[in-house]
Structures are given as C-alpha cells and as structure tokens.
C-alpha cells in the first residue's frame, strides 16, 4: 500500500505516528530538537514538541485510496489551486515557486 504524507497541527499528533519529514526546531539559532524522517512519535517526543512550541509536523501513514480515487483527488486539488491562482502571473519565478510549493504541500 502507498504511503501518504499529511501535515497535522500539534494537537492532532499521537504517539505511534511516524514522521514523514524531519522536524528541526531552533531557538536563538541553536538546534534544540531534531527528529529524523521515520521517527515514531512517543509521549516523550510529543512532550518535547509541546515544550518547544512546535506548531505542526508531517506524518506518514498508509493511503487507503485506490489509484483512481487518488487521481481524482489530485485532479480536484490542481483545479482548486488553478482557481486560486487564476489571476496570478505564473511566468513570474517567485509566483511560480509559490504555486509549486502550495501544490506540493497540498498533495503531500
């Protein structure tokens, strides 16, 4: 089964979830917490995230959608994003970069 990455706010994270992206938190330019991709969250790591005021994390879990439903969801996502950016000049590098970043974030 395919894996899906989702960004969740801190209050939705639960012990047993696996990180889909690394979490690196800094205070005053110093790394105070570094959790790697694949780290399985524990109550202790959740407490560390709360203590250091983390806002969200990317988790990786099994994607229950079949291929056709996943394609439909992706098409809907791209159409919605195109509507949001309909008046934007996507030939402008910064605007295009923002569009691509939002697309990657939402598809994640």
């Amino acid at each position: 089964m395919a894996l899906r990455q989702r960004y969740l706010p801190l209050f939705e994270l639960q012990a047993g979830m696996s990180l889909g992206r690394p979490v690196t938190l800094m205070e005053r330019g110093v790394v105070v917490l570094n959790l790697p991709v694949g780290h399985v969250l524990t109550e202790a790591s959740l407490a560390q995230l709360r203590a250091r005021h983390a806002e969200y994390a990317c988790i990786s879990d099994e994607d229950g959608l079949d291929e056709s439903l996943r394609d439909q969801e992706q098409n809907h996502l791209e159409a919605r994003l195109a509507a949001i950016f309909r008046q934007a000049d996507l030939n402008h590098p910064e605007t295009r970069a923002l569009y691509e970043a939002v697309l990657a974030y939402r598809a994640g």
Side-chain angles (χ1 to χ4, degrees):
M1 187 168 285
L3 292 178
R4 178 183 186 131
Q5 293 184 345
R6 299 181 296 141
Y7 286 87
L8 296 177
L10 185 62
F11 64 87
E12 288 186 21
L13 297 176
Q14 298 176 2
M17 291 180 166
S18 178
L19 291 178
R21 305 234 177 190
V23 173
T24 302
L25 299 176
M26 300 180 73
E27 290 178 13
R28 298 185 183 130
V30 176
V31 174
V32 293
L33 181 65
N34 192 18
L35 301 175
V37 170
H39 173 81
V40 178
L41 294 172
T42 63
E43 290 301 329
S45 57
L46 290 169
Q48 289 178 337
L49 290 169
R50 283 190 291 274
R52 289 172 172 78
H53 309 289
E55 296 179 16
Y56 64 90
C58 178
I59 60 118
S60 182
D61 58 6
E62 291 185 4
D63 186 358
L65 297 178
D66 67 19
E67 193 66 32
S68 65
L69 288 176
R70 194 174 305 117
D71 288 343
Q72 284 179 341
E73 185 178 278
Q74 182 66 26
N75 291 339
H76 176 73
L77 168 74
E78 289 177 14
R80 177 69 181 129
L81 197 56
I84 291 170
F85 279 81
R86 69 183 169 276
Q87 295 181 359
D89 179 6
L90 294 179
N91 293 319
H92 192 271
E94 286 85 6
T95 306
R96 181 53 137 178
L98 176 62
Y99 175 86
E100 297 293 336
V102 172
L103 182 61
Y105 173 79
R106 289 187 169 196

